Amino acid sequence: MDLHGIDLNLLVAFDALMTERSVTRAGVRIGRTQPAMSAALSRLRALLQDELFIRGPDGLQPTPRALDLAEPLGHALAEIQRTLEFTQVFDPSKSTVTFSIGLSEHAAFVVLPKLLAVLRAQASSIVLRIRNFDHRDAVLSLLDSGEADLTVGVPHTPAGRIMSERLFEESFICVIRKDHPQADADLTLDAFLQMSHLLVSPENERFGMVDAALGKMGLRRRLALTLPQMYAAPPLVASSDLIATLMKGVVDASGYREQLHVLKPPLELGTAKFDMAWHRRNDVHPAQRWLRKVIASLFEKAAS
């Protein structure tokens, strides 16, 4: 079928006829007169080579061909409408837009519960599609390709086309099981080096921030386990003799806080920073700006 000759208004008329099962009511639904709707139905029948709707005792009855077309055409029209929903005033309460958000593991635990609460109250028809990423530089490919409207994770490699905003920071703590022999003593650097360590590395590297800090002092620790999932670390530590240096927020959200003993790291580690990033092409889009403003507002009180 040659799509160049298809009038989009005919598909709108078809969708209205499927919904109302009446030429008159379908015309009222989309703002057309009864003769105009009858003419649209005639053109649809000619285009699709099927009667589409037969008069019955309770109004128009769709043919099998019409029933086959109803769902895919309805989805297509809805998608076209969402695509064309670019206005200078974005009304979240009426929008059915789908946002694609790239989140690192910890960012998902921190951002999603708060964001879903806002959407439930202000924009219940908005849909979120979450993309996971492990490597910080994956941010660039997600945003460049349009697979994500924005991302939240540790800072990425600088790129002029990518814009960003700091959302929150996490401090680091050391954790061991509650009844570990070291639990009753201060954690000295010597004791730290003698213990067996668990390293969380989402990028699957055997060299983390602790190793970098120790390397500056000419020191090394003994790694017993390296894994990419940070939320798997607390239960593993709680049931072993391992020590792990983790973000405080991970421990607090893991559900294992009561089974762990927290120690202050014996070396300066700074903080883990989490940024919201987006592509410059999305910067002025009203819906995108609304979403970024909502996410930023989730952390304003914590920062003040």
Side-chain angles (χ1 to χ4, degrees), residues 172-174 192 209-211 213-214 245 265-272:
F172 287 96
I173 57 176
C174 292
F192 184 74
M209 151 200 71
V210 172
D211 303 287
L214 290 173
T245 304
L267 67 168
E268 182 58 44
L269 296 175
T271 60

Side-chain angles (χ1 to χ4, degrees), residues 73-96:
L73 286 182
H75 287 320
L77 288 172
E79 188 62 33
I80 291 172
Q81 184 173 355
R82 283 192 292 269
T83 302
L84 297 177
E85 264 186 356
F86 182 82
T87 63
Q88 292 305 310
V89 179
F90 175 70
D91 185 350
S93 66
K94 298 179 180 178
S95 178
T96 59

Side-chain angles (χ1 to χ4, degrees), residues 98-104 107 111-112 115 128-133 138-140 142-144 146-153 156 162-165 167 275-279 281-282 287-296:
T98 296
F99 289 119
S100 181
I101 303 177
L103 295 173
S104 62
V111 173
L112 279 180
L115 179 57
L128 296 183
R129 186 168 66 96
I130 304 303
R131 299 296 305 270
N132 175 61
F133 66 92
V139 166
L140 299 180
L142 284 173
L143 296 177
D144 278 338
E147 292 180 71
D149 298 311
L150 62 84
T151 62
V152 180
H156 56 85
I162 306 299
M163 310 177 78
S164 64
E165 178 180 345
L167 290 183
D275 289 357
M276 174 171 60
W278 64 96
H279 201 284
R281 66 171 174 265
N282 288 340
Q288 300 280 341
R289 292 179 67 179
W290 175 84
L291 177 63
R292 295 196 302 270
K293 184 177 180 180
V294 167
I295 293 176

Side-chain angles (χ1 to χ4, degrees), residues 90-95 115-126 290 294 297-298:
F90 175 70
D91 185 350
S93 66
K94 298 179 180 178
S95 178
L115 179 57
L116 288 175
V118 174
L119 296 184
R120 185 169 61 246
Q122 300 182 17
S124 58
S125 294
I126 284 178
W290 175 84
V294 167
S297 72
L298 302 177

Side-chain angles (χ1 to χ4, degrees), residues 7-214:
D7 183 351
L8 181 61
N9 289 319
L10 290 180
L11 304 185
V12 175
F14 174 85
D15 189 61
L17 287 165
M18 278 298 301
T19 301
E20 298 294 343
R21 307 296 172 92
S22 161
V23 171
T24 301
R25 290 197 302 272
V28 171
R29 183 181 182 87
I30 62 174
R32 291 193 186 182
T33 63
Q34 192 272 342
M37 284 300 298
S38 295
L41 178 55
S42 295
R43 292 177 62 191
L44 279 166
R45 284 167 169 164
L47 177 69
L48 299 173
Q49 299 180 2
D50 189 270
E51 282 293 300
L52 297 178
F53 297 95
I54 308 296
R55 294 193 180 277
D58 299 319
L60 297 178
Q61 301 298 314
T63 66
R65 172 70 166 152
L67 291 172
D68 289 342
L69 291 169
E71 184 174 354
L73 286 182
H75 287 320
L77 288 172
E79 188 62 33
I80 291 172
Q81 184 173 355
R82 283 192 292 269
T83 302
L84 297 177
E85 264 186 356
F86 182 82
T87 63
Q88 292 305 310
V89 179
F90 175 70
D91 185 350
S93 66
K94 298 179 180 178
S95 178
T96 59
V97 67
T98 296
F99 289 119
S100 181
I101 303 177
L103 295 173
S104 62
E105 185 183 8
H106 182 53
F109 275 80
V110 174
V111 173
L112 279 180
K114 299 176 183 178
L115 179 57
L116 288 175
V118 174
L119 296 184
R120 185 169 61 246
Q122 300 182 17
S124 58
S125 294
I126 284 178
V127 178
L128 296 183
R129 186 168 66 96
I130 304 303
R131 299 296 305 270
N132 175 61
F133 66 92
D134 298 322
H135 198 288
R136 67 186 66 195
D137 289 339
V139 166
L140 299 180
S141 60
L142 284 173
L143 296 177
D144 278 338
S145 65
E147 292 180 71
D149 298 311
L150 62 84
T151 62
V152 180
V154 296
H156 56 85
T157 301
R161 64 193 180 279
I162 306 299
M163 310 177 78
S164 64
E165 178 180 345
R166 179 64 38 81
L167 290 183
F168 63 98
E169 298 183 20
E170 287 279 9
S171 60
F172 287 96
I173 57 176
C174 292
V175 291
I176 54 180
R177 60 182 170 84
K178 203 75 170 179
D179 56 350
H180 192 285
Q182 186 64 40
D184 296 326
D186 293 333
L187 183 61
T188 64
L189 184 57
D190 286 341
F192 184 74
L193 294 175
Q194 291 172 16
M195 299 175 75
S196 297
H197 290 255
L198 182 156
L199 166 65
V200 173
S201 175
E203 298 170 3
N204 288 312
E205 298 175 348
R206 284 188 53 83
F207 190 83
M209 151 200 71
V210 172
D211 303 287
L214 290 173

